[in-house]
C-alpha cells in the first residue's frame, strides 16, 4: 500500500466502502471554476449517476486494484482535501481517447485540491503517492493531459516533476482547443 504523510495530511488509496465520499469529492470538484477545462463531465451528469456507479468506481480504483488507484489527502478529522487517480495503460492498447499506448504507463486523471488546501505542497504529496504506485506496477512513465489554457494546473504539474512532452491532442469538448501531454519518465 502506498501511503505518504505530508504535514496535516495522510495521502492514501481510497477504500471501496468509501464510495459516498468519492462521490461527494467528485461533485465538489465539478463545481470548481476550472472544472470545464479540467474534467470531461459536468456536475449535472455526475450527480445523476446511480449509487451503483459510484460503488463500482470506488471498487475499481480502491485499495487492492491493480489497474487503477485513487489517492486522497485525508485530514485528521477524516475529511478529504483532494484527490487524483492513476490508471495503468498497457503497451499495445488504446487509451481512453483512442490513441495507441506505446509502453506500460500510468495516466493521471481527476486531479482536484479543495481551494482552501491549494498552494501548500499537497498536490506534490498526492503525485508522489500516485507515481510510486505506478512505478510499483512496472510503469515506464507517468503522464497526464492538461488543457492548454489551464495554466494553474500546468504550474502545479511542473512543481510535481512533470514536463510537456510536445504531444498535443484535441480537447474532447472542443476540437479547436488542445490538451498538452505532461510526462514524468522513470
Amino acid at each position: 500500500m502506498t501511503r505518504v504523510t505530508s504535514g496535516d495530511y495522510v495521502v492514501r488509496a481510497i477504500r471501496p466502502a468509501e464510495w459516498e465520499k468519492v462521490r461527494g469529492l467528485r461533485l465538489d470538484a465539478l463545481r470548481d471554476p476550472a472544472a470545464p477545462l479540467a474534467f470531461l463531465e459536468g456536475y449535472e451528469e455526475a450527480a445523476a449517476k446511480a449509487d451503483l456507479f459510484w460503488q463500482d468506481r470506488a471498487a475499481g480504483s480502491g485499495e487492492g486494484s491493480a489497474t487503477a488507484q485513487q489517492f486522497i489527502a485525508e485530514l485528521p478529522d477524516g475529511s478529504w482535501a483532494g484527490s487524483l487517480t492513476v490508471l495503468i495503460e498497457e503497451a499495445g492498447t488504446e487509451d481512453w481517447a483512442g490513441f495507441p499506448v506505446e509502453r506500460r504507463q500510468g495516466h493521471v486523471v481527476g486531479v482536484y485540491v479543495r481551494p482552501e488546501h491549494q498552494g501548500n505542497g499537497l498536490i506534490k504529496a498526492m503525485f508522489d503517492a500516485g507515481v510510486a504506485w505506478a512505478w510499483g506496477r512496472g510503469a515506464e512513465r507517468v503522464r497526464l493531459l492538461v488543457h492548454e489554457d489551464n495554466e494553474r494546473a500546468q504550474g502545479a504539474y511542473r512543481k510535481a516533476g512533470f514536463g510537456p512532452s510536445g504531444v498535443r491532442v484535441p480537447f474532447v469538448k472542443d476540437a479547436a482547443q488542445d490538451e498538452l501531454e505532461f510526462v514524468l519518465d522513470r
Side-chain angles (χ1 to χ4, degrees):
M1 173 175 70
T2 302
R3 188 178 176 101
V4 175
T5 302
S6 175
D8 292 335
Y9 309 97
V10 172
V11 178
R12 64 168 178 84
I14 64 164
R15 299 175 187 109
E18 296 174 317
W19 66 270
E20 289 174 292
K21 288 179 85 171
V22 168
R23 179 183 187 271
L25 187 61
R26 178 65 172 193
L27 294 178
D28 288 349
L30 293 172
R31 288 185 192 105
D32 187 276
L37 293 180
F39 300 106
L40 300 181
E41 69 181 337
Y43 176 84
E44 291 77 17
E45 179 185 353
K49 291 180 178 171
D51 290 351
L52 184 57
F53 170 85
W54 297 102
Q55 292 164 358
D56 288 347
R57 185 176 188 149
S61 63
E63 284 180 338
S65 173
T67 58
Q69 197 90 140
Q70 181 175 354
F71 291 90
I72 52 93
E74 186 173 44
L75 290 153
D77 67 2
S79 64
W80 291 359
S83 173
L84 63 75
T85 300
V86 182
L87 312 172
I88 296 296
E89 297 176 325
E90 297 294 344
T93 64
E94 290 183 352
D95 68 11
W96 62 273
F99 293 98
V101 176
E102 297 176 1
R103 66 193 101 176
R104 184 177 177 88
Q105 61 191 11
H107 186 154
V108 177
V109 297
V111 179
Y112 175 68
V113 176
R114 293 185 189 280
E116 65 272 22
H117 298 280
Q118 293 174 1
N120 63 7
L122 174 59
I123 198 163
K124 172 106 171 56
M126 291 193 314
F127 269 100
D128 288 349
V131 167
W133 180 82
W135 293 160
R137 266 118 206 102
E140 295 178 33
R141 71 179 194 152
V142 178
R143 72 175 185 141
L144 57 86
L145 297 174
V146 58
H147 192 279
E148 61 189 346
D149 293 336
N150 194 343
E151 292 179 16
R152 180 182 81 180
Q154 290 178 40
Y157 302 153
R158 281 186 173 94
K159 286 180 183 174
F162 287 72
S165 69
V167 172
R168 299 174 77 91
V169 298
F171 185 45
V172 171
K173 294 180 181 180
D174 181 352
Q177 301 174 26
D178 283 337
E179 287 191 293
L180 310 175
E181 180 186 64
F182 275 50
V183 299
L184 177 64
D185 288 310
R186 188 160 191 168

